[in-house]
Amino acid sequence: MAKLVSNRHQTGGALHITELISSASVKAASIVLCLLLIIIQYAHTGKYDYDLVVIGGGSGGLACSKEAAQLGQKVAVLDYVEPSVKGTKWGLGGTCVNVGCIPKKLMHQAALLGTAVKDAKKYGWQISGPICHDWATMAEAIQNHVRSLNWGHRVQLQDKKVKYLNVKGSLVDKHTVKGLSKAGKEMILTAKNIVIATGGRPNYPTNIPGAVEHGITSDDIFWLKKSPGKTERVPACAGFLTGIGLDTTVMVRSIALRGFDQQMAGLVTDYMDAYGTKFAWMCVPKRVDKLSSGALQVTWTDTHTGNEHKDTYDSVLWAVGRAPETKALGLDKLGVQLRKETGKIVVGADESTSVPNIYAFGDIGEGRPELTPTAIKAGKFLARRLAGHSTELMNYDNVPTTVFTPLEYGCVGLSEEEAEKRHGKDGIEVYHAFYKPLEFSVAERDASQCYLKVICERGGDQKILGLHFTGPNAGEVTQGFAMGFQCGATYSHLLQTVGIHPTCAEELIKVSITKRSGLDATVTGC
């Protein structure tokens, strides 16, 4: 019995029977009592390999695992990247680090620098010769940075005593995870609690011949060694591709930036159009064919006229949504409830699933924002609750975000459409302004799409319901104002705030013209 107990997996603390039985003279009753105590203690402390097993090594899963380990939990993280259809693969860190936010913003920065070089001439910089961009140099630098982040995550897990396993995880039961390595080796891990944070992967349209064979997705674009060249259908990446000098066309079936304020979306696409990005509105792709020259011929239909069109491209990038990584987890066998329409896991306010001891958060959770910062915060809060250190739940209201298009768009709170829907058109007041960033003046850049609006309740203290901003550094601007939403900011609070002059953010605390008034909202002077 002593050997059995000492060899079992345990999170710590099980007493060795020989420590209790020190003499053959111990009475039989005492022996029985000691054995019972051992069994009880083993049941509570030595039942599982880990306190917590996290499936998914993205930003959320890593944050959850590290937080749990800091609180004294024994934790393992399972992460395995299934190569994309085109064979692209990457390291630890998930979508944001490898094929999302980080490389996207760095390529966005490359495009902004190109614009800045053009502006520089107006500011007196003597720049001779044509300005051109080298994709290979940019890609290598960005990819090297991402690899450094991959390594950094591994080091952090080791430092915080989190066990990292490069294996594909699936569920056996509510306390058991099966891991499968690249070589096909299986392992079994048991845990008191299991967390699913596997996120999602880009979809391919399945009804368009040639889409899969000849197209790429965001899983591939950031890891290309050579330029994608003339590119079609890239809503998410069109801006920076145009900015580095590539011929880029966006094919839009209905509306752009679905889910965002549509007035702001219109300003963003108008700016992109002036910036050089081509738009094919109300068009639906029908097929993609590879020609003998190697070029890709795209055939599409204009839904307005019914006419069919064709053009050739070097690359076709599909941005038609993302699918949650749930199919290979074995959730159906356990009865974990999924939303049929989306395939995402149905979760409660505490990130719990329909099966006890199994939790899910981040992009894979039904109704959750597909944003890295929300996943990180939700993961930390969950870890604290599971460790018994907190009861605080994640607040998913008023989450700020930014779209890194050539003219950046930042927002927090409700869109004007949603505010109208909830409060009625007469129940809201919309303050707005068209402004010109000082940086644009000397460079003589068009600022007609630089715009902001603050949506408030019309009555009472005029609580702010939504704030929207297009312009330089929109993310930095929005992040600061977002804290006000957590404090119940009102229009009066905005007016009482002293601005930093001369900044774009300052225009928000000066806004005074309402849409209802019909007055010209163009800012003139200081």
Side-chain angles (χ1 to χ4, degrees):
M1 177 67 181
K3 184 177 180 182
L4 176 63
V5 172
S6 62
N7 284 345
R8 294 290 294 188
H9 292 297
Q10 50 191 306
T11 55
L15 296 175
H16 198 290
I17 192 168
T18 55
E19 294 175 5
L20 297 173
I21 306 173
S22 59
S23 170
S25 61
V26 178
K27 293 181 181 179
S30 298
I31 295 174
V32 172
L33 178 60
C34 289
L35 287 171
L36 286 173
L37 287 172
I38 291 170
I39 292 170
I40 292 170
Q41 188 173 19
Y42 168 70
H44 284 84
T45 63
K47 190 174 180 181
Y48 307 111
D49 301 329
Y50 296 93
D51 294 304
L52 180 67
V53 167
V54 178
I55 304 176
S59 302
L62 293 176
C64 181
S65 63
K66 289 185 286 188
E67 186 75 9
Q70 292 282 87
L71 298 173
Q73 300 276 285
K74 188 177 181 182
V75 185
V77 161
L78 280 62
D79 187 66
Y80 182 86
V81 179
E82 198 72 57
S84 74
V85 173
K86 299 301 176 185
T88 308
K89 54 185 178 181
W90 50 86
L92 182 64
T95 296
C96 175
V97 167
N98 295 282
V99 289
C101 322
I102 300 299
K104 167 70 190 299
K105 190 178 181 188
L106 290 173
M107 290 192 178
H108 170 63
Q109 175 66 10
L112 293 181
L113 288 172
T115 302
V117 170
K118 295 173 186 175
D119 288 351
K121 294 179 181 179
K122 294 287 181 68
Y123 279 92
W125 287 97
Q126 301 300 307
I127 300 170
S128 60
I131 300 169
C132 60
H133 181 267
D134 181 65
W135 176 280
T137 300
M138 174 193 70
E140 182 180 12
I142 291 173
Q143 290 161 13
N144 285 342
H145 175 67
V146 169
R147 289 188 185 98
S148 75
L149 297 178
N150 298 150
W151 177 250
H153 282 308
R154 294 187 69 162
V155 171
Q156 286 180 21
L157 291 180
Q158 185 175 349
D159 289 347
K160 296 183 185 301
K161 296 180 171 54
V162 176
K163 181 69 174 178
Y164 163 58
L165 297 166
N166 183 209
V167 297
K168 188 188 302 184
S170 60
L171 301 179
V172 178
D173 61 41
K174 64 181 181 179
H175 292 295
T176 309
V177 172
K178 180 176 74 175
L180 184 66
S181 72
K182 183 179 179 180
K185 183 180 178 181
E186 285 190 5
M187 62 179 70
I188 296 293
L189 300 87
T190 59
K192 181 180 179 182
N193 293 302
I194 298 169
V195 168
I196 303 170
T198 48
R201 299 289 288 270
N203 285 323
Y204 273 94
T206 56
N207 60 335
I208 299 174
V212 177
E213 296 90 333
H214 308 307
I216 60 174
T217 70
S218 58
D219 275 359
D220 309 296
I221 186 74
F222 303 112
W223 289 91
L224 295 178
K225 299 297 183 185
K226 65 178 185 177
S227 170
K230 182 181 177 182
T231 311
E232 188 271 341
R233 195 171 173 76
V234 282
C237 308
F240 76 71
L241 291 176
T242 301
I244 61 175
L246 300 182
D247 185 339
T248 310
T249 300
V250 180
M251 191 172 292
V252 186
R253 183 188 299 265
S254 54
I255 60 173
L257 293 177
R258 185 179 298 278
F260 287 90
D261 186 286
Q262 284 301 293
Q263 180 190 9
M264 307 306 290
L267 292 168
V268 167
T269 53
D270 285 349
Y271 186 92
M272 289 176 67
D273 183 61
Y275 189 67
T277 303
K278 301 169 187 173
F279 285 86
W281 294 100
M282 307 304 285
C283 291
V284 179
K286 289 186 65 177
R287 63 181 299 111
V288 181
D289 297 292
K290 191 166 188 175
L291 305 179
S292 57
S293 63
L296 301 177
Q297 180 177 270
V298 179
T299 304
W300 71 90
T301 301
D302 183 324
T303 59
H304 272 316
T305 64
N307 294 335
E308 189 173 285
H309 302 274
K310 294 180 181 180
D311 200 353
T312 56
Y313 301 89
D314 298 307
S315 299
V316 176
L317 189 152
W318 299 105
V320 290
R322 299 176 67 83
E325 287 279 81
T326 53
K327 292 180 180 178
L329 292 172
L331 302 180
D332 52 338
K333 298 174 186 175
L334 274 68
V336 175
Q337 186 181 355
L338 303 179
R339 176 77 179 271
K340 185 177 179 181
E341 294 81 0
T342 63
K344 294 190 175 187
I345 299 174
V346 176
V347 291
D350 62 351
E351 324 301 346
S352 60
T353 71
S354 57
V355 176
N357 304 104
I358 299 178
Y359 298 82
F361 69 92
D363 293 8
I364 204 166
E366 175 61 32
R368 299 299 191 232
E370 294 186 1
L371 296 169
T372 294
T374 54
I376 290 173
K377 275 195 177 296
K380 288 182 176 180
F381 286 147
L382 176 58
R384 292 168 193 166
R385 293 195 301 272
L386 294 179
H389 282 249
S390 172
T391 58
E392 187 176 3
L393 300 175
M394 174 66 188
N395 177 11
Y396 288 101
D397 292 330
N398 297 323
V399 172
T401 191
T402 292
V403 182
F404 290 108
T405 39
L407 185 70
E408 296 179 9
Y409 166 35
C411 61
V412 58
L414 303 181
S415 65
E416 188 173 347
E417 292 90 347
E418 185 61 27
E420 257 188 46
K421 184 179 176 181
R422 296 190 189 185
H423 299 271
K425 192 164 187 175
D426 291 332
I428 63 172
E429 198 72 85
V430 181
Y431 296 89
H432 69 147
F434 286 94
Y435 70 99
K436 186 165 189 172
L438 183 63
E439 306 93 303
F440 282 27
S441 57
V442 171
E444 299 179 331
R445 286 172 61 183
D446 179 18
S448 56
Q449 284 86 33
C450 291
Y451 176 77
L452 60 91
K453 64 179 172 182
V454 181
I455 305 161
C456 305
E457 290 181 353
R458 194 175 180 193
D461 294 332
Q462 288 195 289
K463 181 180 178 181
I464 300 175
L465 303 172
L467 184 148
H468 301 262
F469 177 94
T470 55
N473 305 302
E476 310 297 340
V477 173
T478 308
Q479 182 68 83
F481 285 99
M483 189 176 76
F485 275 71
Q486 303 305 318
C487 306
T490 65
Y491 179 62
S492 295
H493 289 138
L494 202 65
L495 295 183
Q496 290 164 16
T497 302
V498 177
I500 299 173
H501 188 69
T503 64
C504 296
E506 177 190 25
E507 300 300 338
L508 277 159
I509 59 94
K510 292 163 50 181
V511 65
S512 60
I513 303 297
T514 67
K515 280 191 172 183
R516 190 183 306 277
S517 72
L519 298 174
D520 184 2
T522 304
V523 174
T524 55
C526 295

